[in-house]
Amino acid sequence: MLKKIKMLTKVSDAEIIGYSILSIILGITGFAFIILVNSMIELLIINKSINNEGFYLLSFLGIIVLFFTLKRILSGGIINLSQEIYWNIRKIIINQLLKAPIKKIKENKDQIYSTLTRDVGNITQGSLLIIDFVSSIILIFCCFIYMAYISFSMFLISFTVICMTVGIYIFRNKKSYKKFNISRDLEKNFIGLFNSILNGTKEINLNPIIGEKINTKLGGVTQNAKSNDKGAFIGYLNTQVIGQALFYLLITFIIFYSSTLLKVSIESSISYIIVLMYILGPIGMVMMVFPVMNKTIISLNRLIHLMNELKSVNCEEVIDNGLNTSIEFDTLEYKDYFFSYGENLFSVGPINLKINKGEVVFIYGSNGSGKTTLFNMLLNIYEPNQGKSTLNGEIISLENLLSFKGLFSPVFSDFYLFDEMYGVNEIDINIANEYLKIFEIDEKVTIKNNKFSTIDLSAGQRKRLALINAILENKPILVLDEWAADQDPIFRQKFYKEIVPYIVEKGFTIIAITHDDKYYNCADRLFKMEYGKLIEVREKVILSLNI
């Protein structure tokens, strides 16, 4: 498990070794304290007084100072380590998300939320307990040696009782592990239902019955998860109670029968009982590690599975090439592009399309005809099952795939508007203000330090901001999916008749999905999407009829 945690974080071997050595020294220091206590008790019993009180007092104070100094250093280190692990794992997940295929992200959305909110915490908690676990094991081992030195016969009895307790714990551990696993699966369902509430607020507001039904399902999920977690923890609790009961029976046996049956002196029996009571704490600590470690192992396995799911083929090899945003193109051609959602499921293609620099290309089609899937294919958001693409006559390979994606600035129908223009390095504020004015939102929004002053606007205005952002990224091809659908009729006419020609004059190429047949004449080329096939509408009369 430790190897997996190291693989997912930046924790160095030196840190782990350093904390482990401190844990060992701390355990030995605790053991030295109990040895000193026992020695003092023996002196009091035998001699009725203590000679060299100053020496023993200094010894006590020295051990106490050393113990708590080490404890403070180790605890501070653990706090630092916990934050390193917690945030490093989150960074790793986010870095993987940034490289992952969008299809994989959509498929694992609820799992991603569950991992960030629950699994990372479990892994952090488990990794920290490893250090306390090592310290407790060292202390227990030292105490075992000392107990055997005091009385080997009592040690054998004690060791048998401890082995019985551990055996019961391991037996129960398997059942509890299964319950924790079920609970973790239910966490994903809980997140899914919770997202339904967040994303469906309007629908729930209009129809509260939807909310009530979701809440009922949530109640079932939470009750099931609570029942499994509760069952797992109670199983551990029962085992712990049994173990403690056996320990107290063992202490009772030693008090009453050690001198008669085992022929052990009273002084040795007292020393033995003190040590035995002292290690109850470390043994309890070791026992309590089991439920936490079970959760950690489950979360760790889920995290590694998620990372593998999100892994993009050779994404590390091509990421450095994705920084070039000043790509020039004359022609972009797709040959025999084909994509399918699965066997006997909806498919798009084969698509043969050539885009020339400065063209305005409109695509229309009925709902479900495959327009959005086509866009995702053209942008390589959905990796085609077959076909190839060429840029200026050269085949686009995996090595320059991200550079190819740098050709496009899209505004999707389900776009997300960032409050900051992350895709723009330096903004010419005069140009930015010019576009704000052209898009008639200069009185509502300003741009400063690459940030919009507000994005709390109507849907149509937010789309205008998204398009301004896309234009300012200065990539050669603008890709618009039903962009004008949220615009009022007057501005829609301005967009097609004035803004589109103006953008093209600035050197952009436009590919747009649109149902505004009134403005099809504004396109250089018109295509129809039908049952997953792209058909070019060649008859000039269709374009001219709408002038």
Side-chain angles (χ1 to χ4, degrees), residues 21 24 45 67 84 129 144 198 205 208 248 257 269 417 462:
I21 290 172
I24 292 169
I45 292 172
F67 181 84
E84 286 287 329
L129 281 179
F144 277 175
L198 288 180
N205 184 266
Y248 283 110
Y257 299 109
S269 294
L417 179 61
R462 284 165 56 84

Side-chain angles (χ1 to χ4, degrees), residues 429-440:
I429 197 65
N430 293 323
I431 295 175
N433 289 334
E434 180 186 354
Y435 280 114
L436 288 174
K437 190 172 183 179
I438 290 170
F439 281 89
E440 300 179 7

Side-chain angles (χ1 to χ4, degrees), residues 464-524:
R464 295 182 200 182
L465 274 189
L467 181 50
I468 291 172
N469 181 77
I471 292 169
L472 292 176
E473 285 183 356
N474 203 32
K475 296 181 180 180
I477 304 176
L478 297 174
V479 181
L480 311 177
D481 188 355
E482 295 282 8
W483 186 89
D486 295 312
Q487 308 303 322
D488 62 79
I490 295 173
F491 189 83
R492 187 179 304 175
Q493 179 175 333
K494 178 181 178 179
F495 171 70
Y496 285 109
K497 295 294 186 179
E498 299 177 28
I499 296 178
V500 168
Y502 180 79
I503 293 173
V504 173
E505 280 182 15
K506 295 294 182 181
F508 291 96
T509 301
I510 297 175
I511 307 173
I513 290 175
T514 176
H515 286 125
D516 294 325
D517 53 355
K518 182 179 178 181
Y519 302 105
Y520 285 168
N521 61 297
C522 297
D524 296 310

Side-chain angles (χ1 to χ4, degrees), residues 313-363:
V313 181
N314 295 326
C315 60
E316 286 82 5
E317 295 179 12
V318 298
I319 192 70
D320 289 338
N321 293 324
L323 301 175
N324 181 13
T325 57
S326 58
I327 304 167
E328 295 293 337
F329 93 101
D330 292 314
T331 60
L332 175 63
E333 188 169 5
Y334 300 90
K335 297 179 181 179
D336 299 320
Y337 250 42
F338 177 84
F339 174 81
S340 174
Y341 286 96
E343 190 175 353
N344 298 322
L345 296 176
F346 183 74
S347 61
V348 172
I351 300 297
N352 289 284
L353 175 64
K354 185 175 182 180
I355 307 293
N356 298 305
K357 183 176 181 179
E359 281 188 325
V360 176
V361 177
F362 286 174
I363 300 170

